[in-house]
């Protein structure tokens, strides 16, 4: 009897590399990012160029090396997402050579190449393989100079040539790496040989030397690779998302989670130096490429929710990035003639606007509400008030509220506040009035500012509530739908998800009829070649209405954006646009995490309303983090099973609350006990505190 080998959905393998090298897998760890075999890499927070010319600085990568042999052989390339290691195996009659490459998951300043040679036949002859690279210690963004070798490692250093803004700093970068010889040889008396090469990148010589020392110690004890693999294992033990019934969907989910997690720092990183997540991640974003590596609303609205549901520490790192840009946001608001904070449409390090075209920074002001929504969801998921007090998050919330109050105009005719001259998320239109998305997100951020001030016992200007209560939310009574902005003509083309985002993620209350009308109005006129994240939002809308098959059809449109064999996303379905498009992955992930499950992060509960399409028999979502506890969810056709993890397994500093499931139709309340499964019919409900009026946070 023979058993067919089951393919591991976490390993993406091929015997030929993609012809378009942009779709080689990125290796990143929240600080360093590199596309396999590329001559350049990037470091988080390292930008060159002023204002709209600001872009990720190209850093030369000494590990851009290919293994080649004079003897013909078979090539296999694998991206193992269990371990975050890319391997190239070259097998010939006499030798098997495996090259492993990884950005270290625990020690973020390190990148590693390892080569293992194993003799295949008994022979007295030495065996040689070639290491072919084209490394030059040069960059168009950094003037490098060489320094003395350090403990056998080559050393170069340099500074960015141009600051982000006049008077700003030009950060330095220091590289120390193990020199890579042109050949490796297995001597006649050796059956196998192993070589390790480390690259360390840091902002100072002192730091680079310390990290290089650490890498040598780790190599000597055999812990360099082990500590990396352990860090990835820790991440996957904390959360996974898997489906049964569609191999392509399962692989797409795993790839999306892997590449998104690669863009975030280690959960053990306490340096607070995270530089945010750009649409193409750290491996991309050089001059004129992949949005120059800038940070957009993509981070806060598209990528953040799927990470925040599992990893409170990583969610907090996004918020800390925004707090670190407050002074730049204040400068943006002042330049526009308004009070408070105006977060940039495109952000680098300082928070000053770095968008190459002024109109986006001037008009796409919904970014402010997008930023505060991430803070709001973090508070509801964690009740971590320290982020808002010691962490200065309240400065963000209050500053954005002040901006909205100074930005609105009072209209005496309809006795409403208006937001004039804006660009909605749908960038086909500009200089419009009362974008329904912008006004709604502004209203909610004002309401959250009032709520937070009350919670922290801070004074709240009466204008916050007054503007929130009377801000116009466009609605067409006759057609019973939300027009995208004042004067929008129904049926006109739309670039991407915009008005359909009122239901999710904004959570604007509306009847099922209006929700359906919005979806039906915008779906047929949305650009089919628009950005990848759009269809996930439509899918969530249809799942809200119980139409799982229609949702599945839209979700599968995203598969066209996934480039094989390494599951790397392109912004557009024809392969054009940003590469390693994390925004699309984030939207896709949300369609499953907030669509199939119906999860909604609310003030006093985590609501759910599950719907599975016919082809999906099971959805397993492990590690949902809520109020200091972690839950594993298993959704089947007719039932839901939840296991609350033992407290020792939880992540985050919040003291766990006692939780219960409350089913909506019957009102049945089921306490959640750590380690004990709870099963109930597939129906809407919520997870909330066992004692509804208690608080985990100190008041």
């Amino acid at each position: 009897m023979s058993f067919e080998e089951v393919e591991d959905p976490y390993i993406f393998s091929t015997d030929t590399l993609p012809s378009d090298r942009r779709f080689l897998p990125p290796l990143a760890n929240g600080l360093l990012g590199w596309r396999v075999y590329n001559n350049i890499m990037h470091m988080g927070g390292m930008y060159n160029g002023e204002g709209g010319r600001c872009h990720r600085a190209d850093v030369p990568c000494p590990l851009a090396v290919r293994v080649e042999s004079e003897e013909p052989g078979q090539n296999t390339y694998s991206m193992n997402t269990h371990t975050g290691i890319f391997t190239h195996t070259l097998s010939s009659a006499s030798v098997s050579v495996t090259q492993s490459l990884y950005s270290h998951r625990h020690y973020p300043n390190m990148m590693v190449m390892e080569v293992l040679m194993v003799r295949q036949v008994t022979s007295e002859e030495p065996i040689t393989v070639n290491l072919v690279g084209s490394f030059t210690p040069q960059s168009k963004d950094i003037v490098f100079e060489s320094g003395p070798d350090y403990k056998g490692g080559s050393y170069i250093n340099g500074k960015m040539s141009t600051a982000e803004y006049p008077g700003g700093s030009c950060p330095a970068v220091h590289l120390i790496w193990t020199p890579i010889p042109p050949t490796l040889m297995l001597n006649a008396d050796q059956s196998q040989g192993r070589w390790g090469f480390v690259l360390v990148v840091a902002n100072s010589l002192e730091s680079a030397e310390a990290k290089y020392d650490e890498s040598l110690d780790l190599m000597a004890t055999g812990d360099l690779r082990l500590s990396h693999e352990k860090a990835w294992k820790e991440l996957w033990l904390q959360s996974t998302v898997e489906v049964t019934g569609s191999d392509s969907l399962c692989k797409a989910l795993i790839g999306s989670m892997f590449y998104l997690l690669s863009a975030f720092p280690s959960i053990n990183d306490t340096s607070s130096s995270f530089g945010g997540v750009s649409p193409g991640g750290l491996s991309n974003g050089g001059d004129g490429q992949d949005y120059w590596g800038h940070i957009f609303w993509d981070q806060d609205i598209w990528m953040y929710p799927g990470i925040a549901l599992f990893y409170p520490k990583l969610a907090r790192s996004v918020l800390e990035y925004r707090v670190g840009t407050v002074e730049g946001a204040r400068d943006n608001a002042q330049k526009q003639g308004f009070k408070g904070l105006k977060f940039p449409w495109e952000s680098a390090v300082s928070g000053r606007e770095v968008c190459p075209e002024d109109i986006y920074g001037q008009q796409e002001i919904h970014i402010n509400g997008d930023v505060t929504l991430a803070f709001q969801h973090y508070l509801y998921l964690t009740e971590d008030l320290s982020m808002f007090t010691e962490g200065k998050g309240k400065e963000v919330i209050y500053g954005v509220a002040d901006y909205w109050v100074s930005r609105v105009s009072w209209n005496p005719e309809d006795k409403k506040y208006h937001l004039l001259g804006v660009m909605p998320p749908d960038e086909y239109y500009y200089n419009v009035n009362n974008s329904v998305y912008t006004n709604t997100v502004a209203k909610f951020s004002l309401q959250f500012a009032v709520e937070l001030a009350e919670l922290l016992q801070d004074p709240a200007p009466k204008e916050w509530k007054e503007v929130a209560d009377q801000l116009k939310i466009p609605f067409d009574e006759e057609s019973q739908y939300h027009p995208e902005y004042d004067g929008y003509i129904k049926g006109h083309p739309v670039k991407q998800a915009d008005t359909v985002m009122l239901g999710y993620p904004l959570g604007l209350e509306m009847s099922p009829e209006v929700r359906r009308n919005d979806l039906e109005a915008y779906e047929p006129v949305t650009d089919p070649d628009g950005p990848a994240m759009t269809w996930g939002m439509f899918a969530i809308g249809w799942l809200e209405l119980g139409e799982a098959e229609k949702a599945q059809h839209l979700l599968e449109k995203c598969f066209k954006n996934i480039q094989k064999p390494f599951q790397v996303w392109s912004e557009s379905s024809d392969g054009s646009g940003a590469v390693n498009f994390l925004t699309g992955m984030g939207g896709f992930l949300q369609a499953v995490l907030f669509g199939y499950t119906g999860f909604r992060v609310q003030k006093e509960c985590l609501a759910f309303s599950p719907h599975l399409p016919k082809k999906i028999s099971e959805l397993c979502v492990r590690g949902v983090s809520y109020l200091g506890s972690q839950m594993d969810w298993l959704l089947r056709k007719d039932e839901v099973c939840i296991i609350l993890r033992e407290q020792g397994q939880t992540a985050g500093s919040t003291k766990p609350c006692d939780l219960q499931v409350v089913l909506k139709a019957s009102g049945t309340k089921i306490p959640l006990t750590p380690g004990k499964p709870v099963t109930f019919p597939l129906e809407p409900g919520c997870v909330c505190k066992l004692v509804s009026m208690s608080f985990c946070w100190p008041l």
Side-chain angles (χ1 to χ4, degrees):
M1 183 185 292
S2 65
F3 295 93
E4 186 178 336
E5 188 176 337
V6 178
E7 183 182 316
D8 185 339
Y10 283 79
I11 299 175
F12 311 146
S13 293
T14 182
D15 54 8
T16 54
L17 292 174
S19 57
D20 188 336
R21 293 300 194 248
R22 296 179 309 144
F23 300 124
L24 285 167
L27 300 174
N29 60 17
L31 180 67
L32 303 179
W34 177 57
R35 191 168 68 243
V36 168
Y37 299 137
N38 199 1
N39 285 329
I40 59 167
M41 56 181 289
H42 300 111
M43 184 178 190
M46 300 292 283
Y47 292 88
N48 187 46
E50 184 181 326
R53 294 295 304 161
C54 166
H55 57 274
R56 288 202 191 282
D58 287 354
V59 177
C61 183
L63 303 186
V65 170
R66 293 174 188 267
V67 174
E68 295 181 0
S69 171
E70 304 294 337
E71 187 181 7
Q74 174 70 36
N75 293 292
T76 306
Y77 306 91
S78 290
M79 184 69 245
N80 186 330
T81 66
H82 289 295
T83 60
I85 297 175
F86 175 85
T87 57
H88 168 212
T89 301
L90 175 57
S91 299
S92 67
S94 61
V95 70
S96 172
V97 187
T98 301
Q99 176 193 31
S100 300
L101 299 162
Y102 54 96
S103 291
H104 207 289
R105 184 68 265 192
H106 186 79
Y107 299 100
N109 296 82
M110 299 178 194
M111 291 180 64
V112 183
M113 178 176 80
E114 297 168 348
V115 179
L116 172 66
M117 290 177 64
V118 179
R119 193 181 289 273
Q120 301 291 80
V121 292
T122 305
S123 166
E124 299 297 319
E125 297 296 319
I127 300 174
T128 301
V129 294
N130 300 320
L131 301 183
V132 181
S134 56
F135 171 73
T136 54
Q138 296 173 348
S139 162
K140 58 186 173 56
D141 298 309
I142 307 163
V143 178
F144 279 105
E145 54 184 50
S146 299
D149 286 1
Y150 180 74
K151 295 187 178 178
S154 301
Y155 167 63
I156 59 172
N157 70 90
K159 273 190 174 183
M160 306 304 115
S161 59
T162 310
E164 183 187 324
Y165 60 95
S169 64
C170 289
V173 62
H174 297 255
L175 281 71
I176 303 176
W177 70 95
T178 317
I180 299 173
T183 60
L184 295 176
M185 180 183 290
L186 204 56
N187 293 325
D189 58 347
Q190 287 180 296
S191 61
Q192 67 175 53
R194 191 185 298 270
W195 295 264
F197 305 90
V198 179
L199 165 66
V200 163
V201 187
N203 293 121
S204 71
L205 175 58
E206 183 183 16
S207 175
E209 288 179 346
K211 303 295 183 188
Y212 193 70
D213 288 345
E214 197 167 28
S215 73
L216 294 178
D217 290 343
L218 289 164
M219 236 192 288
T221 59
D223 288 330
L224 185 63
R225 185 177 182 132
L226 288 175
S227 56
H228 166 78
E229 292 182 342
K230 181 184 175 186
W232 267 111
K233 186 177 181 181
E234 190 178 358
L235 278 172
W236 287 124
L237 282 173
Q238 198 162 319
S239 81
T240 50
V241 184
E242 297 171 355
V243 296
T244 304
S246 169
D247 292 342
S248 55
L249 178 58
C250 193
K251 218 168 189 176
L253 287 168
I254 290 165
S256 296
M257 277 293 286
F258 171 73
Y259 290 124
L260 278 166
L261 284 171
S262 298
F264 282 80
S266 163
I267 52 176
N268 303 302
D269 186 6
T270 56
S271 66
S272 299
S273 60
F274 180 53
V277 188
S278 58
L282 275 166
S283 56
N284 300 303
D287 192 7
Q289 172 214 54
D290 293 329
Y291 299 107
W292 293 265
H294 296 165
I295 317 302
F296 292 72
W297 74 314
D298 304 45
Q299 170 188 259
D300 313 81
I301 288 290
W302 296 99
M303 306 172 202
Y304 171 89
I307 297 298
L309 195 62
F310 301 112
Y311 302 96
K313 286 183 181 177
L314 301 187
R316 182 165 173 149
S317 68
V318 167
L319 309 187
E320 288 170 345
Y321 166 75
R322 290 297 187 185
V323 169
T325 64
V326 157
E327 289 311 310
R330 185 171 285 113
D331 185 64
N332 296 335
Q334 288 171 355
K335 283 178 177 166
Q336 289 188 4
F338 300 114
K339 296 178 181 176
L341 305 177
K342 163 60 178 67
F343 283 93
W345 179 240
E346 299 189 27
S347 179
V349 176
S350 74
R352 289 166 173 81
E353 184 62 67
V354 292
C355 182
E357 297 178 63
D358 287 344
I359 191 168
Y360 297 96
Q362 292 289 332
Q363 294 195 10
E364 207 151 354
I365 59 175
H366 64 81
I367 180 66
N368 263 9
D370 305 328
V371 167
T372 59
L373 188 65
F375 280 81
Q376 185 174 358
H377 280 187
Y378 177 79
L379 181 63
Y380 292 172
L381 281 168
T382 67
E383 292 191 347
D384 173 17
L385 280 180
S386 72
M387 179 64 236
F388 295 85
T389 50
E390 295 96 324
K392 299 184 178 178
K394 68 179 184 179
E395 290 185 27
V396 170
I397 306 306
Y398 299 165
V400 166
D402 288 338
Y403 176 84
W404 291 129
V405 168
S406 70
R407 180 66 172 76
V408 295
S409 304
W410 176 254
N411 186 298
E413 292 179 18
D414 61 4
K415 294 185 169 48
K416 295 281 185 185
Y417 286 104
H418 290 201
L419 282 168
L420 308 177
V422 304
M423 180 184 288
D426 171 13
E427 293 168 331
Y428 284 172
Y429 305 97
Y430 57 91
N431 209 30
V432 302
N433 298 332
N434 297 313
S435 148
V436 69
Y437 178 92
T438 305
N439 287 26
T440 302
V441 84
K443 177 187 180 79
F444 288 168
S445 60
L446 283 160
Q447 289 174 339
F448 180 56
V450 173
E451 179 189 323
L452 184 65
E454 186 178 341
L455 189 60
L456 299 178
Q457 299 181 335
D458 290 333
K462 67 180 189 311
E463 292 86 357
W464 291 356
K465 184 176 186 305
E466 181 184 308
V467 173
D469 289 347
Q470 297 179 77
L471 189 59
K472 178 179 180 179
I473 306 297
F475 185 69
D476 185 324
E477 292 287 351
E478 185 179 337
S479 298
Q480 285 292 296
Y481 94 114
H482 293 95
E484 191 174 278
Y485 53 83
D486 283 356
Y488 171 77
I489 299 171
K490 199 172 184 181
H492 274 206
V494 166
K495 178 187 176 186
Q496 62 184 62
D498 183 315
T499 308
V500 296
M501 296 174 71
L502 298 180
Y504 176 87
L506 300 193
L508 180 67
E509 284 191 25
M510 66 184 82
S511 68
E513 177 198 5
V514 171
R515 184 72 160 127
R516 179 180 296 274
N517 290 344
D518 283 351
L519 291 165
E520 289 180 344
Y522 293 104
E523 186 183 318
V525 297
T526 298
D527 188 341
D529 299 318
M533 67 279 191
T534 286
W535 302 115
M537 291 301 110
F538 280 98
I540 290 174
W542 288 117
L543 283 160
E544 274 183 16
L545 298 173
E547 300 209 21
E549 300 313 309
K550 189 173 277 192
Q552 188 67 11
H553 168 71
L554 290 169
L555 192 60
E556 288 178 0
K557 280 190 175 189
C558 298
F559 290 167
K560 294 177 183 175
N561 298 73
I562 303 173
Q563 307 298 328
K564 293 180 179 179
F566 299 114
Q567 302 289 308
V568 174
W569 283 57
S570 58
E571 183 174 10
S572 299
S573 57
D574 62 1
S576 64
V579 176
N580 188 35
F581 191 50
L582 298 174
T583 311
M585 298 184 210
F588 179 77
L589 196 58
Q590 286 185 66
V592 173
L593 287 176
F594 298 89
Y596 288 175
T597 64
F599 284 149
R600 295 293 181 273
V601 178
Q602 298 178 352
K603 185 178 179 182
E604 292 178 348
C605 72
L606 178 64
F608 57 85
S609 181
H611 293 281
L612 292 181
K614 287 175 185 172
K615 68 159 63 172
I616 304 302
S617 56
E618 279 187 2
L619 168 63
C620 185
V621 181
R622 297 187 185 93
V624 174
S625 182
Y626 184 60
L627 302 184
S629 293
Q630 281 187 301
M631 298 172 281
D632 297 336
W633 293 64
L634 181 63
L635 278 62
R636 293 196 177 103
K637 289 297 182 189
D638 54 1
E639 67 178 16
V640 177
C641 178
I642 305 176
I643 300 177
L644 187 68
R645 291 190 185 179
E646 302 283 351
Q647 288 187 13
Q649 296 175 263
T650 62
S653 56
T654 311
K655 183 180 182 295
C657 298
D658 292 329
L659 299 175
Q660 64 180 346
V661 172
V662 180
L663 299 181
K664 188 175 180 180
S666 62
T668 302
K669 296 180 179 179
I670 312 167
L672 291 174
T673 305
K676 294 188 177 177
V678 164
T679 304
F680 51 88
L682 193 80
E683 61 177 272
C686 70
V687 175
C688 59
K689 294 175 192 173
L690 197 56
V691 182
S692 60
M693 295 309 291
S694 71
F695 289 88
C696 291
W697 54 49
L699 290 176

